[in-house]
Amino acid sequence: MFEGGMWIFYLEMLVVLAVAGFIVWWTLPKKKPPPEQSGTAPPEPPPRS
């Protein structure tokens, strides 16, 4: 398994995929709780004149 030095290539690929996955997860937008669970109604827009 560790012959020929291919293991380092696989290790590097695993690290690259892990870092890429972490970056994607970190930049995902946060989920907002639904209004009925938060206990407050969404603000109403100001009346137009």
Side-chain angles (χ1 to χ4, degrees), residues 17-46:
L17 288 174
V19 169
F22 178 77
I23 290 172
V24 169
W25 171 79
W26 187 265
T27 58
L28 284 176
K30 306 293 184 239
K31 289 185 178 180
K32 295 180 182 177
E36 61 270 7
Q37 289 183 355
S38 65
T40 59
E44 296 184 12

Side-chain angles (χ1 to χ4, degrees), residues 3-23:
E3 298 172 10
M6 280 299 287
W7 67 273
I8 193 73
F9 175 75
Y10 293 129
L11 180 65
E12 288 181 18
M13 289 301 293
L14 181 64
V15 170
V16 166
L17 288 174
V19 169
F22 178 77
I23 290 172

